[in-house]
Coordinates of all heavy atoms in Angstrom, one line a residue:
T733 N 97.7 -157.6 -0.8 CA 98.9 -157.0 -1.5 C 98.4 -156.6 -2.9 O 97.3 -157.0 -3.4 CB 100.1 -158.0 -1.6 OG1 99.7 -159.1 -2.5 CG2 100.4 -158.6 -0.3
L734 N 99.3 -155.9 -3.6 CA 99.0 -155.5 -5.0 C 98.9 -156.7 -6.0 O 98.3 -156.6 -7.1 CB 100.0 -154.5 -5.6 CG 99.8 -153.0 -5.2 CD1 101.0 -152.2 -5.7 CD2 98.5 -152.5 -5.8
T735 N 99.5 -157.8 -5.6 CA 99.4 -159.0 -6.4 C 98.3 -159.9 -6.0 O 98.2 -161.0 -6.6 CB 100.8 -159.7 -6.4 OG1 101.0 -160.1 -5.1 CG2 101.8 -158.9 -6.9
G736 N 97.5 -159.4 -5.0 CA 96.3 -160.3 -4.7 C 96.5 -161.3 -3.6 O 95.7 -162.1 -3.4
L737 N 97.6 -161.3 -3.0 CA 97.9 -162.2 -1.8 C 97.2 -161.7 -0.6 O 97.1 -160.5 -0.3 CB 99.4 -162.3 -1.5 CG 100.2 -163.2 -2.5 CD1 101.7 -163.0 -2.1 CD2 99.8 -164.6 -2.4
V738 N 96.7 -162.6 0.2 CA 95.9 -162.3 1.5 C 97.0 -162.6 2.6 O 97.4 -163.8 2.8 CB 94.6 -163.1 1.7 CG1 94.0 -162.7 3.0 CG2 93.7 -162.8 0.5
L739 N 97.4 -161.5 3.3 CA 98.4 -161.6 4.4 C 97.8 -161.9 5.7 O 96.6 -161.6 6.0 CB 99.2 -160.4 4.4 CG 100.0 -160.1 3.1 CD1 100.8 -158.8 3.3 CD2 100.9 -161.3 2.8
P740 N 98.5 -162.5 6.7 CA 97.9 -162.8 8.0 C 97.7 -161.6 8.8 O 98.3 -160.5 8.6 CB 99.0 -163.7 8.6 CG 100.2 -163.4 8.0 CD 99.8 -163.1 6.6
I741 N 96.9 -161.7 9.8 CA 96.6 -160.6 10.7 C 96.7 -161.1 12.2 O 96.8 -162.2 12.4 CB 95.1 -160.0 10.5 CG1 94.1 -161.2 10.3 CG2 95.1 -159.2 9.2 CD1 93.5 -161.7 11.5
G742 N 96.5 -160.1 13.1 CA 96.5 -160.5 14.5 C 95.1 -160.4 15.2 O 94.2 -160.0 14.5
G743 N 95.0 -160.8 16.4 CA 93.8 -160.7 17.1 C 92.7 -161.5 16.7 O 91.5 -161.2 16.7
V744 N 92.9 -162.8 16.2 CA 91.9 -163.7 15.7 C 90.8 -164.0 16.8 O 89.7 -163.9 16.4 CB 92.6 -165.0 15.2 CG1 91.5 -166.0 14.8 CG2 93.4 -164.7 14.0
R745 N 91.3 -164.2 17.9 CA 90.2 -164.6 19.0 C 89.4 -163.4 19.2 O 88.1 -163.6 19.3 CB 91.0 -164.9 20.3 CG 90.0 -165.2 21.4 CD 90.7 -165.5 22.7 NE 89.8 -165.6 23.8 CZ 89.6 -166.7 24.6 NH1 90.3 -167.7 24.5 NH2 88.7 -166.7 25.6
E746 N 89.8 -162.2 19.4 CA 88.9 -161.1 19.6 C 88.0 -160.8 18.4 O 86.8 -160.5 18.7 CB 89.8 -159.8 19.8 CG 90.5 -159.7 21.1 CD 91.9 -160.4 21.1 OE1 92.2 -161.1 20.1 OE2 92.7 -160.3 22.0
K747 N 88.4 -161.1 17.2 CA 87.6 -160.8 16.0 C 86.5 -161.9 16.0 O 85.4 -161.6 15.6 CB 88.5 -160.8 14.8 CG 89.4 -159.6 14.7 CD 90.3 -159.6 13.5 CE 91.1 -158.2 13.5 NZ 92.2 -158.2 12.5
V748 N 86.9 -163.1 16.3 CA 85.9 -164.2 16.3 C 84.8 -163.9 17.4 O 83.6 -164.1 17.1 CB 86.5 -165.5 16.6 CG1 85.5 -166.6 16.8 CG2 87.4 -166.0 15.4
I749 N 85.2 -163.4 18.5 CA 84.3 -163.1 19.6 C 83.3 -162.0 19.1 O 82.1 -162.0 19.4 CB 85.0 -162.7 20.9 CG1 85.7 -163.8 21.6 CG2 84.0 -162.0 21.9 CD1 86.6 -163.5 22.7
A750 N 83.9 -160.9 18.4 CA 83.1 -159.8 17.9 C 82.1 -160.3 16.9 O 80.9 -159.9 16.9 CB 84.0 -158.7 17.3
A751 N 82.4 -161.3 16.0 CA 81.5 -161.8 15.0 C 80.3 -162.6 15.7 O 79.2 -162.4 15.4 CB 82.3 -162.7 14.1
R752 N 80.8 -163.4 16.8 CA 79.7 -164.1 17.5 C 78.7 -163.2 18.1 O 77.5 -163.5 18.1 CB 80.3 -165.0 18.5 CG 81.1 -166.2 18.0 CD 81.5 -167.2 19.1 NE 80.4 -168.0 19.5 CZ 80.1 -169.2 19.1 NH1 80.9 -169.8 18.3 NH2 79.1 -169.9 19.5
R753 N 79.3 -162.1 18.6 CA 78.4 -161.2 19.4 C 77.3 -160.6 18.5 O 76.2 -160.2 18.8 CB 79.3 -160.0 20.0 CG 78.6 -159.2 21.1 CD 79.4 -158.1 21.6 NE 80.6 -158.6 22.3 CZ 81.9 -158.0 22.1 NH1 82.0 -157.1 21.3 NH2 82.9 -158.5 22.8
Q754 N 77.8 -160.4 17.2 CA 76.8 -159.9 16.2 C 76.0 -161.0 15.4 O 75.4 -160.6 14.4 CB 77.6 -159.0 15.1 CG 78.2 -157.8 15.6 CD 77.3 -156.9 16.3 OE1 76.1 -156.8 15.9 NE2 77.6 -156.1 17.3
K755 N 76.1 -162.2 16.0 CA 75.4 -163.3 15.4 C 75.8 -163.6 13.9 O 75.0 -163.9 13.0 CB 73.9 -163.1 15.4 CG 73.3 -162.6 16.8 CD 73.2 -163.9 17.7 CE 72.4 -163.5 19.0 NZ 73.0 -162.6 19.9
I756 N 77.0 -163.3 13.7 CA 77.6 -163.7 12.3 C 78.4 -164.9 12.5 O 79.3 -165.1 13.2 CB 78.6 -162.6 11.8 CG1 77.7 -161.2 11.6 CG2 79.2 -163.0 10.5 CD1 78.6 -160.0 11.3
F757 N 78.0 -166.0 11.6 CA 78.6 -167.3 11.9 C 79.4 -167.8 10.7 O 79.8 -169.0 10.6 CB 77.5 -168.3 12.3 CG 76.9 -168.0 13.5 CD1 75.7 -167.4 13.7 CD2 77.6 -168.3 14.7 CE1 75.1 -167.1 14.9 CE2 77.1 -168.0 16.0 CZ 75.8 -167.4 16.1
E758 N 79.6 -166.9 9.6 CA 80.4 -167.2 8.5 C 81.6 -166.2 8.4 O 81.3 -165.1 8.2 CB 79.6 -167.3 7.2 CG 80.3 -168.0 6.0 CD 79.4 -168.2 4.8 OE1 78.1 -168.1 4.9 OE2 79.9 -168.7 3.8
L759 N 82.8 -166.7 8.4 CA 84.0 -165.8 8.4 C 84.9 -166.2 7.3 O 85.0 -167.3 6.9 CB 84.7 -165.9 9.7 CG 83.9 -165.8 11.0 CD1 84.8 -166.0 12.2 CD2 83.3 -164.4 11.1
I760 N 85.6 -165.2 6.8 CA 86.8 -165.4 5.9 C 88.0 -164.9 6.6 O 88.1 -163.7 7.0 CB 86.5 -164.6 4.5 CG1 85.2 -165.0 3.9 CG2 87.7 -164.7 3.7 CD1 84.9 -164.3 2.7

Side-chain angles (χ1 to χ4, degrees):
T733 68
L734 274 176
T735 54
L737 283 172
V738 179
L739 299 181
I741 44 85
V744 172
R745 178 181 172 126
E746 287 86 348
K747 290 174 179 178
V748 169
I749 289 172
R752 287 190 79 97
R753 199 184 294 133
Q754 291 303 327
K755 309 280 190 291
I756 296 172
F757 294 102
E758 193 169 353
L759 305 179
I760 300 173

